[in-house]
Amino acid sequence: MDWALRSAEPADVEAIGELRATVMRPDLERLGRFDERRVRQRLRDSFSAQHTSVIVADGAFAGCVTVRPAEDGRWLEHFYLAPGLQGRGLGSAVLRTLLKQTDADGVLVRLNVLQGSAARRLYERHGFTVEVQDPIDIYMVRRPGAGSLGT
């Protein structure tokens, strides 16, 4: 599959909000936290086109990812892939690309994932470890050079 990252534009926010609602719905429902309006509004409220990339696969919108500067490194946020593209290696390829840059910059990366989310395994394969967790979220961290970037 051919893929690329392009800079997000403010106009991308609604498509990304819809993707977020679709992708997160099963986990949020399982946790008793799904709200049809809130899931989209939280994305709108935190959307930063400046730090977001749109993932384009075979010429079509496939997902997005945000890498936001933080005091001690970067936050990886809003990493969503269209359901039909999940489990085909695209998420690993995108993550590998992003982590090569953070490793070159010598910075750690933080993220949070919902309890029970299958995405946790992806992040663990790429060197993220649990820093702290609560009944809803797992906060993970990856130090520069941690994990295998070859998977």
Side-chain angles (χ1 to χ4, degrees), residues 53-64:
S53 296
V54 169
I55 303 163
V56 179
D58 294 334
F61 174 79
C64 64

Side-chain angles (χ1 to χ4, degrees), residues 65-130:
V65 62
T66 299
V67 180
R68 179 176 52 83
E71 194 172 300
D72 62 348
R74 311 256 166 74
W75 271 93
L76 180 72
E77 302 171 318
H78 305 304
F79 188 13
Y80 311 120
L81 287 179
L85 298 174
Q86 293 175 12
R88 296 175 53 194
L90 179 57
S92 284
V94 171
L95 191 55
R96 217 174 11 256
T97 298
L98 298 173
L99 294 175
K100 281 180 186 174
Q101 183 59 55
T102 60
D103 282 353
D105 294 342
V107 297
L108 61 82
V109 180
R110 285 193 160 78
L111 60 81
N112 72 295
V113 63
L114 292 171
Q115 288 282 1
S117 172
R120 178 180 175 175
R121 289 188 302 278
L122 169 69
Y123 298 131
E124 288 174 338
R125 283 195 312 270
H126 290 273
F128 285 86
T129 58
V130 174

